[in-house]
């Protein structure tokens, strides 16, 4: 007779993604997708591009007033975005 070790499917998928180096890219995509919900409508409407490089979220905003407001609220947004995905994915937000 053989032994069985039942596991939840969610745990198996997480282990597979971690072992194959897919967990971080997946969480980065999830963080970028959650930008409109977390940042709000004003930021989402004025955002042209989002990229993550070296644990920094690069945001392209053309409106100077929105850009200045984002600079003041970036530490709060970093915490909210990381909480949304449940992991420390970014450490800073930069505007270009």
């Amino acid at each position: 007779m053989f032994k069985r070790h039942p596991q939840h499917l969610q745990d198996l998928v997480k282990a597979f993604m971690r072992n194959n180096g897919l967990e971080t890219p997946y969480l980065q995509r999830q963080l970028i997708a959650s930008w409109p919900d977390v940042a709000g409508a004003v930021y989402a409407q004025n955002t042209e591009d989002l990229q993550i490089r070296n644990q920094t979220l690069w945001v392209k905003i053309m409106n100077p007033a929105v850009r200045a407001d984002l600079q003041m609220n970036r530490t709060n947004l970093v915490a909210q975005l990381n909480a949304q995905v449940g992991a420390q994915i970014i450490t800073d937000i930069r505007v270009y």
Side-chain angles (χ1 to χ4, degrees):
M1 187 167 240
F2 52 94
K3 296 180 182 179
R4 297 176 192 253
H5 300 285
Q7 295 179 340
H8 291 282
L9 183 59
Q10 181 180 6
D11 296 336
L12 293 173
V13 170
K14 282 184 182 180
F16 174 80
M17 290 178 69
R18 185 173 295 124
N19 292 337
N20 291 305
L22 300 172
E23 183 179 31
T24 300
Y26 171 74
L27 290 174
Q28 288 175 346
R29 285 280 192 206
Q30 196 174 17
L31 186 134
I32 289 173
S34 68
W35 173 257
D37 296 331
V38 174
V42 174
Y43 290 134
Q45 290 173 353
N46 291 292
T47 301
E48 293 186 11
D49 188 29
L50 293 168
Q51 299 175 6
I52 297 177
R53 291 184 303 226
N54 298 328
Q55 291 187 328
T56 301
L57 178 64
W58 291 87
V59 181
K60 184 174 185 180
I61 296 179
M62 300 305 286
N63 186 330
V66 176
R67 182 183 305 160
D69 190 48
L70 177 63
Q71 289 291 346
M72 290 187 293
N73 293 324
R74 68 183 191 198
T75 54
N76 187 26
L77 282 171
V78 167
Q80 289 178 355
L81 287 165
N82 284 329
Q84 181 74 20
V85 295
Q88 173 103 15
I89 300 299
I90 60 171
T91 57
D92 195 15
I93 297 176
R94 298 284 172 102
V95 179
Y96 69 100

